[in-house]
């Protein structure tokens, strides 16, 4: 590679040539020409390709064609390279600002015809909304300039080189450049022109830029305008028809604030927008105004004078086929789905999104933390030596990035906080970025989590702090030390609003503990909620050699270095399917709370500003999960932050069935994001008749007539051979087999995170490794005894693992009383177990035979899976499912499908019942859970992708006395001790009958 080219790709400058200053992304009626579509394309393995391709007369007929926008690594089925996923690693040597000579470089060419009526344009501008990573531009063979900042907009003045008729634009894109060192976000590296390319005709007397700042105060609004235009463009007119505003400014000096006597405010709950135009004789700019005032008072973050609680998500731009290429229809549905799940805020991790997304956020209503395109995470490998955040040679680039971020999106009312970036250490360049933002926009505060000491930011922000630590941050007068803070710095940080910019790492099955964080927000006003990591999985749709589709993650494309499936960490699967964690989030953060007292209930409105006039309240009563009555409730309109009491409806309580009252708050009319009747919040009340003196379940009858036997017998519907179950109701069934293992979740597998669960847990050792060390995935059984009594069978087994002296005693007692078969399993661990257990359960095998068990009906918690620390979205009822739909298709197979608080279970084969099981509470009133799957936990644990699961001829039913919680240890706290499953004696009692 030539020294000139090497200098280019290693140049820390943000751009060269005819690059224009940053400005707003505006809706203008001035002429424009989209250059999206098919471009000619050539990929070279290095950056040293010749530049003759830019020549006007160059023959590109031998080149391929590629769509723009797109990523070249997602085109051509691997012909142009493959995606690379890293989180905390650089996929090239850490040698800033240099990158390797092996630098895939894409050359693009296309022709365009300059419209004839553009001859009177004052300037012609070529705009790129997103190119990864460094690109150079030629028009008609003339070098125009270069730019970097992949998720930022860049405009070039091409007035002097375009011509009437046919023109040629050529673009060279280098995958790696100095800019790559500051774009080490947790996502796929996807080079190419991936956002729109547009040619703009800028008219004489046009508007270069406009910013309509707005404010709101007690019913009154104001508009503080900033108009950038030549003096010759004036007069300029501001029109807001809905407010009767038509303000004409004859000269630049006349531009002044406009007071509005009566206006409705904008908020994420009530996103009231007013259509406005700013016009000259030659151009009209359309904007939508949202009147709101953002401020910090002491340690409160306020919008329109009211405290904001962020129930947010971190949102990357990702799609399994398009990558970061924007699709407005999909984005609108994405945001509508957020609204349906009570998400009210978005952190644009970790770069500005496509500008149209922010239009949608304004319209649908979200609090937005807009983040700059900056992350230098890979420098953590070298203890942040040479980090661009503190190196003066990088300052122009970092300042350019924040300037382009703020200038492009400053008109959006949804943006309430500017964020400097993410995981870039700290340093003087970040401080300089913050100073620039404060000077440019005095209203909106500045966020950056890495400023732990609070030297240059306005809000205190952390990632993945534990519940106790978060509580100490919010507690007035606390002197508990804060991360990387002196006592004085900690005291200063406690004077600021606090938010969790990332928490509850939603990787695979999890997280647990949403409700613990939410409870803190209501107890400590300094705490303003946070943003779950993250909204969706980043899987890339691909196929195995035999054509089986699957969603790929790090390592699936043969990357030299990668961070595995850490990119699959969203509450939405790659195919847009919500995971149970999203339902859990919705239930925990629901904006309406219910309190029951005797024969009345209170409705508490937890919203920021909206009252409950948009809601109606429905009720239903079920007996053992069967609906008996329902109706609507008469509830007064409740103002934001207030509560109102209402009487409960008359409830028909059954003397011999569980009676459950359920209340739903639903939309009274359709919205742009959900239909009428969509459920916003739910609560349940157990109104069952209680007789505390009565025993829990039927007591097991003590036996004294046991005698040794061969264990081959029939007890009602059960057939046994040598003491082992062989058949139930003429169906082959084996079990119960002690099961202490679950296919480890991503949280179970993580050696990192904050350990709070197991007595034997240590940083750097995952729970799953401890379980495998103890042999929980390879237990063996030695039968100690087989005994019989009248209508009864008793076996005692010792269960242990190779190379271990630890064991578990399992006593199984089968009895037949009054024609009903009962199984009681007593599980008792030996001394010496130190680690938590994943589960305490028993497994039954049900071979397919002629009628496979392929579905289930149950009375218990549902309809989705639930675990000890993730149960708020589950409610008591009667549910049904196919065996396939009981499990979630996590990108890496793992524990899934557990349903808690089981009362009754019916196994089905097609439409026919196979077996009925009643779960009897134990002596402490605890109910078991169940999992039904086509694979054993051991088979699931061995698979890295769903397609690796073996074909199955058996259904596996596991009845769990208990399961370990989920936690957030893949990036955050381990399972909270209350939900950690320690080895202990447990009892499982089941009554099994044949289908009727």
């Amino acid at each position: 590679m030539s020294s000139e080219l090497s200098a280019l790709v290693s140049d820390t400058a943000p751009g060269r040539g005819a690059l224009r200053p940053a400005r707003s992304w505006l809706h203008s009626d001035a002429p424009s020409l989209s250059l999206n579509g098919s471009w000619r394309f050539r990929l070279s393995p290095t950056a040293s390709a010749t530049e003759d391709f830019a020549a006007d007369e160059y023959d590109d007929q031998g080149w391929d064609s590629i769509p723009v926008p797109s990523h070249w690594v997602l085109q051509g089925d691997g012909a142009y390279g493959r995606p690379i996923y890293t989180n905390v690693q650089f996929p090239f040597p850490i040698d800033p600002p240099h990158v390797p000579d092996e630098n895939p470089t894409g050359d693009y060419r296309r022709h365009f015809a300059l419209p004839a009526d553009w001859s009177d344009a004052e300037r012609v501008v070529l705009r790129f909304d997103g190119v990864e990573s460094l690109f150079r531009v030629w028009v008609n063979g003339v070098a125009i300039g270069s730019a970097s900042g992949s998720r930022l907009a860049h405009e070039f003045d091409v007035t002097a080189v375009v011509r009437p008729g046919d023109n040629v634009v050529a673009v060279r894109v280098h995958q790696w450049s100095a800019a790559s060192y500051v774009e080490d976000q947790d996502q796929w590296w996807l080079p190419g022109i991936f956002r729109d390319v547009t040619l703009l005709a800028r008219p004489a007397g046009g508007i270069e830029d406009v910013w309509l700042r707005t404010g709101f105060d007690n019913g009154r609004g104001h508009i503080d305008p900033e108009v950038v235009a030549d003096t010759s463009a004036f007069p300029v007119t501001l029109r807001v028809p809905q407010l009767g505003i038509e303000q004409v400014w004859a000269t630049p000096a006349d531009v002044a604030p406009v007071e509005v006597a009566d206006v409705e405010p904008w908020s994420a709950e009530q996103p009231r927008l007013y259509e406005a135009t700013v016009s000259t004789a030659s151009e009209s700019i359309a904007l939508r105004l949202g009147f709101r005032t953002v401020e910090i008072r002491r340690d409160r973050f306020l919008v329109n004078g009211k405290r904001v609680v962020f129930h947010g998500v971190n949102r990357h731009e990702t799609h399994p086929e398009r990558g970061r290429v924007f699709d407005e229809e999909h984005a609108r549905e994405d945001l509508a789905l957020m609204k349906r799940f009570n998400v009210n805020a978005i952190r644009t991790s970790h770069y500005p999104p496509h500008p149209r997304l922010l239009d949608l956020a304004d319209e649908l209503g979200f609090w937005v933390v807009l983040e700059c395109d900056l992350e230098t995470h890979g420098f953590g490998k070298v203890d942040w030596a040479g980090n661009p955040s503190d190196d003066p040679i990088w300052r122009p680039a970092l300042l350019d990035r924040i300037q382009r971020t703020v200038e492009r999106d400053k008109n959006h009312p949804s943006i309430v906080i500017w964020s400097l970036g993410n995981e870039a250490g700290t340093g003087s360049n970040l401080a300089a970025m913050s100073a620039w933002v404060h000077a440019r926009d005095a209203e909106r505060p500045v966020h950056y989590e890495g400023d732990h000491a609070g030297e240059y930011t306005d809000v205190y922000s952390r990632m993945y702090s534990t519940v106790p630590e978060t509580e100490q941050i919010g507690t007035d007068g606390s002197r508990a030390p804060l991360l990387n803070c002196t006592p004085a710095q900690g005291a200063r940080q406690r004077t600021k609003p606090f938010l969790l910019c990332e928490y509850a790492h939603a990787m695979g099955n999890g997280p647990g503990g949403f409700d613990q964080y939410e409870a803190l927000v209501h107890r400590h006003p300094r705490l303003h909620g946070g943003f779950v990591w993250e909204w969706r999985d980043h899987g890339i749709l691909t196929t195995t050699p035999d054509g089986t589709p699957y969603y790929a993650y790090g390592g699936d494309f043969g990357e030299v270095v990668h961070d595995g499936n850490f990119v699959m960490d969203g509450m939405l699967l790659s195919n847009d399917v919500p995971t149970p964690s999203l339902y859990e989030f919705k239930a925990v953060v629901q904006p309406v709370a219910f309190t029951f007292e005797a024969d009345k209930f209170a409705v508490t409105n937890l919203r920021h500003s909206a009252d409950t006039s948009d809601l109606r309240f429905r009720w239903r009563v079920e007996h053992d999960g069967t609906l008996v009555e329902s109706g609507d409730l008469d509830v007064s309109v409740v103002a934001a932050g207030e509560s109102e009491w209402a009487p409960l409806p008359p409830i028909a309580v059954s003397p011999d069935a569980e009676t459950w009252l359920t209340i739903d708050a639903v939309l009274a009319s359709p919205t742009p994001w959900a239909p009428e009747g969509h459920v916003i919040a739910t609560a349940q009340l157990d109104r069952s008749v209680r007789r505390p003196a009565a025993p829990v379940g039927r007591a097991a009858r003590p036996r004294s007539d046991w005698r040794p036997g061969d264990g081959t017998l029939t007890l009602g519907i059960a057939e046994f051979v040598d003491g082992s179950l062989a058949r139930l109701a003429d169906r082959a069934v084996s079990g119960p087999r002690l099961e202490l293992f679950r296919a480890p979740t991503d949280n179970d597998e993580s050696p990192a995170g904050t350990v709070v669960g197991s007595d034997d847990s240590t940083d750097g050792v995952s729970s799953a490794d401890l379980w495998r060390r103890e042999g929980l995935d390879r237990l063996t059984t030695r039968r100690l005894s087989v005994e019989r009594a009248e209508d009864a069978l008793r076996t005692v087994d010792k269960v242990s693992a190779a190379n271990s002296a630890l064991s578990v005693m399992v006593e199984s007692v089968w009895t037949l009383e009054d024609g009903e078969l009962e199984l009681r399993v007593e599980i008792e661990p030996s001394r010496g177990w130190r680690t938590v257990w994943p589960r305490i359960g028993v497994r039954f095998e049900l071979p397919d035979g002629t009628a496979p068990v392929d579905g289930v009906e149950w009375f218990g918690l549902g309809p989705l899976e639930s675990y000890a620390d993730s149960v708020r979205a589950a409610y008591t009822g009667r549910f049904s499912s196919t065996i396939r739909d009981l499990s979630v298709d996590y990108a890496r197979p793992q524990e899934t499908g557990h349903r808690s608080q089981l009362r009754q279970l019916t196994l089905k084969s097609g439409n026919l019942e196979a077996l009925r099981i009643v779960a009897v509470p134990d002596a402490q009133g605890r109910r078991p859970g169940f999992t039904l799957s086509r694979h054993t936990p051991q088979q699931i644990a061995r698979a890295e992708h769903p397609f690796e699961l073996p074909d199955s001829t058996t259904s596996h039913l596991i009845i769990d006395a208990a399961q370990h919680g989920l936690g957030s240890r893949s990036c955050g706290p381990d399972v909270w001790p209350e939900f950690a499953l320690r080895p202990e004696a447990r009892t499982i009692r089941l009554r099994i009958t044949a289908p009727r």
Side-chain angles (χ1 to χ4, degrees), residues 350-372:
H350 298 294
Y351 42 83
H354 190 284
R356 277 293 291 155
L357 186 95
L358 298 168
D359 287 339
L360 298 177
D362 294 342
E363 173 188 325
L364 295 174
F366 291 92
W367 311 116
V368 174
V369 176
L370 190 76
E371 201 143 83
C372 183

Side-chain angles (χ1 to χ4, degrees), residues 882-949:
T882 64
I883 193 170
R884 175 69 184 78
D885 290 341
L886 286 171
S887 300
V888 178
D889 279 333
Y890 297 112
R892 185 188 70 80
Q894 56 196 276
E895 162 65 29
T896 179
H898 180 260
R899 268 69 177 178
S900 309
Q901 297 290 308
L902 179 65
R903 280 86 159 163
Q904 300 169 13
L905 180 68
T906 300
L907 301 178
K908 304 199 68 177
S909 181
N911 294 323
L912 301 176
E913 294 184 0
L915 287 170
R916 289 185 172 184
I917 300 172
V918 173
V920 181
D922 67 10
Q924 298 181 41
R926 297 173 296 190
R927 300 181 184 275
F930 81 93
T931 304
L932 181 66
S933 172
R934 293 295 288 175
H935 297 94
T936 68
Q938 291 77 9
Q939 289 173 323
I940 296 171
R942 286 192 288 268
E944 294 295 325
H945 301 86
F947 67 81
E948 296 171 26
L949 290 167

Side-chain angles (χ1 to χ4, degrees), residues 162-242:
V162 294
R163 63 201 177 200
D166 184 60
N167 292 261
V168 178
V169 58
V171 183
R172 171 159 290 171
V173 181
H174 303 288
Q175 177 163 9
W176 309 123
S177 69
S180 303
Y181 284 100
V182 296
E183 294 178 1
D184 189 31
Q185 291 100 337
D186 178 9
Q187 61 178 339
W188 295 96
W189 299 88
L190 299 173
I193 305 174
F194 67 92
R195 286 186 186 157
D196 306 302
V197 182
T198 311
L199 199 68
L200 308 174
R202 301 299 306 135
I207 300 171
E208 183 63 16
D209 202 359
V210 62
W211 184 6
L212 299 183
R213 297 177 174 93
T214 63
F216 177 82
D217 183 14
N218 197 28
R220 299 180 62 84
H222 73 268
I223 303 169
D224 186 5
E226 177 185 291
V227 178
V228 180
D230 289 341
T231 302
S232 60
F234 283 78
V236 172
T237 303
L238 167 67
R239 293 183 179 90
V240 188
Q242 293 160 299

Side-chain angles (χ1 to χ4, degrees), residues 837-897:
W837 279 354
R839 73 184 340 140
I840 302 174
V842 293
R843 190 172 90 216
F844 296 88
E845 312 292 339
L846 298 99
D848 288 349
T850 57
V853 170
D854 57 8
V856 65
E857 294 178 353
W858 76 97
F859 175 38
L861 289 188
L864 301 174
E865 64 185 31
S866 56
Y867 295 82
D869 56 356
S870 182
V871 74
R872 290 280 292 275
Y875 60 90
T876 302
R878 194 170 291 275
F879 310 98
S880 63
S881 175
T882 64
I883 193 170
R884 175 69 184 78
D885 290 341
L886 286 171
S887 300
V888 178
D889 279 333
Y890 297 112
R892 185 188 70 80
Q894 56 196 276
E895 162 65 29
T896 179

Side-chain angles (χ1 to χ4, degrees), residues 739-757:
E739 187 61 83
L740 302 179
F741 186 66
R742 72 182 184 193
T745 66
D746 290 309
N747 292 315
D748 296 336
E749 289 282 13
S750 176
T754 305
V755 175
V756 295

Side-chain angles (χ1 to χ4, degrees), residues 762-774:
T762 56
D763 285 328
V765 182
S766 71
S767 294
D769 282 343
L770 293 173
W771 299 340
R772 286 185 283 257
R773 185 190 70 186
E774 300 291 0

